[in-house]
Amino acid sequence: MDELPIGRRVAYWRSRRKMSQQVFADRLGKSKSWVDKVERGVRRLDKFSVLYEIADILQIDVQLLHGKDPERRTDALNCIDQVEVEEIRTALERYDSMSAYFDAAPYPPPLDDMRKAVNHAWLTYQYGRYGMLTRALPKLLRDAQAADAVYGGDDQRREAAHLLGQVYQIASSVLRKLGECNLAWLAADRSMAVAQRADDPLLAGIATTRVCNALVAMGRPRPALELNVRIADRLAPGGDNDADPRRLSVYGMLLLQGAMAAARIGDSATVDDLLSGAGEAAVLLGGDHNHYWTSFGPTNLELHRAAAAVELGDGGRAVETHQRMNGHAFNALLPERRAHHLLDLARAYSQIGDVGNAGDMLLQGDRLAPSEIRCRPIAHELMSEVLRRTRGAPPPPIAELAEHMGVGV
């Protein structure tokens, strides 16, 4: 496999750290011309002391400057590294609304621009492009926080809060997938508070699912189950609540996430009860929709039915659920949902001892949304299991994917 020249690797990481050649040169104590020659390969980097200094400034392991193409590593384009985690953390720690109470508020983008940026971020998430999203999140968080702090008038204030609530939810969702559970919980918790200012019970409802997902990821499934069910009861159609498609979608997702929390506890009776309630909502909805970015409907219900079976340790039932699924409806779902399901299905096959099909599901998921497979800790654990249980050398596609993921063969 061809390797990138070391100068190209320096340029890649400098660009990823958002440093100009001049800034990088100043921190290194060199000239801009020196940096340019290194990156173009005109000047060689043959002193270890300089390499270590470069790695320190770029906040990377020096082996990345010597090793393989960074695009083929877990901390490259498709994933997130600790510098980006800290940038998101810093953005989450801002309190623009309180600062604006005492001082001049920051100047936010127009709400129309914010709305487009938030919609784009949702689509980036639902297409499984997590690396692209995590690099955009710090600025999006700052802009949304500034908008929430500044815009006056009831309508603008509510819309700014609504947009910020969505950005927090996006951040929570992607951080949870990448294993940053504490930050995911913080962002989700913020989204619930902001949803109240937006005066939108449905936004608060879907924010609840983000909080509960983070709690489950942190090993707290019981409070997650209780919270999901409590808020679902408040939003259930009937009485003063209409059966609007948006309400049905949010209500259905609360029940589905409650079922996942119950499965983590091992409470199969509650799982069946909540899935049954979600099924009734899906029938009323009449198809798969993406209201409030939920992707809720009959197909997503089946995906959660299979995922709950996996959590309960019943891989055979999960496989049977998949085999009964409407293939056309499944293929119509957005890439993140499908790749997530393929990862669940890989776990199911592993549970029943079929490591060949488990590996095949990982390969299919990787072709569909690489970040869902290459960047998630649970996928890394599963790939290690597949490699360990494979007799002899793994098939070349599996070995190649494992290398991409940074999992040792």
Side-chain angles (χ1 to χ4, degrees):
M1 176 173 48
D2 292 337
E3 295 184 351
L4 283 178
I6 194 167
R8 288 270 304 281
R9 295 195 198 100
V10 171
Y12 166 83
W13 285 104
R14 175 186 59 76
S15 175
R16 185 155 173 178
R17 296 295 181 251
K18 299 180 177 62
M19 290 186 201
S20 66
Q21 285 188 337
Q22 186 63 62
V23 168
F24 181 55
D26 290 344
R27 294 186 183 181
L28 197 58
K30 302 287 186 180
S31 68
K32 180 182 176 182
S33 173
W34 185 92
V35 171
D36 181 66
K37 289 177 181 177
V38 165
E39 293 184 350
R40 288 189 293 114
V42 175
R43 187 182 187 100
R44 294 181 60 186
L45 276 178
D46 48 13
K47 289 187 177 181
F48 282 108
S49 59
V50 176
L51 281 172
Y52 276 100
E53 190 173 0
I54 288 173
D56 184 58
I57 291 170
L58 296 176
Q59 300 183 56
I60 60 174
D61 191 310
V62 72
Q63 294 303 315
L64 281 176
L65 297 178
H66 283 297
K68 299 168 184 175
D69 180 348
E71 292 186 29
R72 300 179 63 85
R73 298 181 62 94
T74 59
D75 51 1
L77 290 180
N78 287 329
C79 299
I80 188 171
D81 61 36
Q82 285 306 304
V83 171
E84 290 157 356
V85 169
E86 289 307 312
E87 288 179 356
I88 294 172
R89 188 191 308 277
T90 299
L92 284 171
E93 290 172 348
R94 290 168 64 94
Y95 290 88
D96 285 350
S97 58
M98 182 57 70
S99 300
Y101 179 74
F102 293 101
D103 304 305
Y107 183 76
L111 285 178
D112 282 346
D113 292 349
M114 277 300 309
R115 195 180 308 113
K116 293 174 184 176
V118 172
N119 288 342
H120 182 264
W122 273 121
L123 288 172
T124 303
Y125 172 77
Q126 291 194 324
Y127 275 84
R129 297 167 183 166
Y130 304 148
M132 181 186 300
L133 179 57
T134 54
R135 285 188 287 282
L137 263 177
K139 182 178 186 302
L140 187 59
L141 281 162
R142 291 192 295 269
D143 287 347
Q145 289 164 335
D148 180 59
V150 168
Y151 281 108
D154 289 344
D155 290 343
Q156 285 191 326
R157 185 180 298 114
R158 280 194 294 268
E159 181 170 10
H162 204 287
L163 291 170
L164 176 57
Q166 291 184 61
V167 175
Y168 281 142
Q169 290 191 43
I170 295 166
S172 177
S173 297
V174 71
L175 287 166
R176 177 181 57 83
K177 280 184 177 285
L178 298 175
E180 297 292 336
C181 300
N182 290 326
L183 274 186
W185 179 84
L186 173 62
D189 185 70
R190 291 274 183 87
S191 74
M192 290 186 72
V194 173
Q196 296 175 53
R197 294 208 307 275
D199 193 26
D200 185 344
L202 299 183
L203 183 67
I206 204 63
T208 301
T209 68
R210 315 295 179 191
V211 170
C212 294
N213 284 340
L215 286 172
V216 170
M218 295 166 68
R220 303 282 294 163
R222 193 168 296 280
L225 170 60
E226 294 170 355
L227 180 57
N228 264 317
V229 172
R230 185 163 68 248
I231 302 304
D233 287 344
R234 300 287 183 86
L235 294 178
D240 294 334
N241 292 338
D242 58 24
D244 178 86
R246 297 174 302 169
R247 179 182 296 277
L248 289 169
S249 296
V250 173
Y251 169 69
M253 283 307 298
L254 281 161
L255 295 180
L256 290 182
Q257 296 307 324
M260 295 305 301
R264 184 65 66 90
I265 296 168
D267 186 350
S268 58
T270 298
V271 170
D272 291 342
D273 183 50
L274 293 175
L275 289 176
S276 177
E280 294 173 5
V283 169
L284 288 173
L285 188 61
D288 298 308
H289 297 278
N290 204 18
H291 300 299
Y292 278 80
W293 306 96
T294 58
S295 293
F296 180 72
T299 310
N300 205 359
L301 167 66
E302 294 306 303
L303 267 57
H304 280 80
R305 193 184 304 280
V310 172
E311 289 296 336
L312 290 167
D314 193 349
R317 185 178 177 186
V319 171
E320 291 172 3
T321 300
H322 172 77
Q323 291 171 344
R324 292 195 306 266
M325 199 175 297
N326 182 312
H328 176 75
F330 175 73
N331 290 330
L333 292 176
L334 289 164
E336 180 273 336
R337 281 284 78 215
R338 286 184 282 158
H340 186 129
H341 173 67
L342 291 169
L343 178 54
D344 286 333
L345 200 57
R347 295 173 63 199
Y349 277 117
S350 179
Q351 286 177 356
I352 62 176
D354 188 346
V355 293
N357 267 321
D360 189 53
M361 293 301 104
L362 290 175
L363 290 170
Q364 289 187 40
D366 182 68
R367 287 193 288 269
L368 190 61
S371 294
E372 183 70 18
I373 305 301
R374 302 185 188 192
C375 301
R376 297 194 61 188
I378 192 169
H380 286 225
E381 293 172 11
L382 183 57
M383 175 58 83
S384 295
E385 180 76 4
V386 168
L387 294 175
R388 184 179 66 81
R389 295 169 61 186
T390 298
R391 294 183 178 180
I398 292 293
E400 184 176 1
L401 177 56
E403 183 182 356
H404 280 287
M405 297 169 69
V407 178
V409 178

